[in-house]
Amino acid sequence: MQFIRIPGMKALLRRAFRSRAVAICPNAGWMQTELEKSFGDIATIQPVPFGIDPRWFEIDRGKSPAQPHEWLVVSRLTRAKLGPLLEWCAPLFARESRELHLIGPMQENIHLPDWVRYHGPASPEDLCNRWFPRATGLITLSRHAEGRPQVILEAMAAGLPIIASRLPAHEGLVHDKHTGYIVDNPEQLALSVQRAESHETTYRLGAQARKNVHETPGTWDDTAKHFCTIYRHLLEKSST
């Protein structure tokens, strides 16, 4: 989406599209409106969300999360990606028994307070086998323009409740009070964390999150089927 906002880029793409059958397949529905306005007259705009590896659905979360509660943030460390995380989370984690575990590569020089447990990058295997089974939930307060954050999909497939900032990409995945919480300020974050730490709420939100992403987007096999359908449609258009 940033690419097509470069001056002159839409005109160049439109020129290239006119000579062939084209489908543009964003991985998130919130992109569709702008793409329809720019290219809908000469291309098919069909969102196709990325699938989820089956191993995330197979994670066994056990009977209860770790104690004290472990909350995860899985993100590249930039100011835009972290957003107000450190400021909003300080009262919840600096003076209370719960833990905030931050996982991801340090891409900007950001000072982390001592109450943040920073682990650096982690492999998918580490997330799948070590972190997701025992975590209470996943927090993201990103202000970065997101597509369709894969780590949120994987966490939902694992049955984790999600607490997220109000971005189109987050609102397209997290159904407020059903699979997690969308928050606009520190007070909403604090209330959401406290609610999600209830055993009943944790598993109600997590079970619904897993169910939702199992239906849509499903696995990579489901994604492949969508692309096959789109290619067949394009071939039919090309032959007419």
Side-chain angles (χ1 to χ4, degrees), residues 159-181:
L160 271 71
I162 310 297
I163 298 178
S165 52
R166 191 176 296 281
L167 289 179
H170 294 163
E171 291 181 287
L173 295 177
V174 180
H175 296 175
D176 192 38
K177 300 181 180 64
H178 293 280
T179 62
Y181 300 99

Side-chain angles (χ1 to χ4, degrees), residues 79-128:
R79 288 168 179 80
K81 291 288 285 184
L82 292 184
L85 179 81
L86 301 179
E87 296 84 358
W88 290 13
C89 284
L92 301 173
F93 294 92
R95 297 188 295 272
E96 299 188 26
S97 61
R98 62 177 65 91
E99 299 175 356
L100 185 72
H101 294 265
L102 179 55
I103 298 170
M106 180 78 74
Q107 295 189 340
E108 292 180 6
N109 186 19
I110 296 174
H111 171 73
L112 298 175
D114 57 10
W115 52 266
V116 174
R117 298 165 187 255
Y118 178 54
H119 302 277
S123 67
E125 289 72 24
D126 284 339
L127 293 176
C128 189

